[in-house]
Amino acid sequence: DGRPSLPHITCSTLLIGGEKDIFYPPDMLYQMAREMPNVQVSIYPRVGHGLIEQRKKEFEKEVLEFLAQ
């Protein structure tokens, strides 16, 4: 369980998840984000755990934009 380490992650972090993800549901991502000092959360609607395959272009665009900040 890495949760105690979350407050020590000081670099910009992007948490991306699917609205219907049963492994890492949005509530879990938001809970993690509350513990991290510099985080953005992005939840894709109507997508489960396979969001990278299902929304590949959107995912790639969002990650590239985040990295360009």
Side-chain angles (χ1 to χ4, degrees), residues 16-19 42-47 51 55 58-59 62:
I16 301 176
E19 175 186 44
S42 178
I43 304 297
Y44 285 63
R46 300 176 305 280
V47 179
L51 78 91
R55 301 274 182 86
E58 291 172 69
F59 174 82
E62 183 167 15

Side-chain angles (χ1 to χ4, degrees), residues 21-64:
D21 192 329
I22 61 172
F23 298 105
Y24 298 97
D27 289 345
M28 181 185 291
L29 296 180
Y30 287 119
Q31 182 180 10
M32 290 171 60
R34 284 191 292 275
E35 302 294 323
M36 300 170 74
N38 192 12
V39 65
Q40 294 178 28
V41 179
S42 178
I43 304 297
Y44 285 63
R46 300 176 305 280
V47 179
H49 193 68
L51 78 91
I52 294 172
E53 292 86 21
Q54 295 171 4
R55 301 274 182 86
K56 183 178 179 175
K57 290 183 181 184
E58 291 172 69
F59 174 82
E60 289 174 350
K61 181 179 185 282
E62 183 167 15
V63 170
L64 290 173

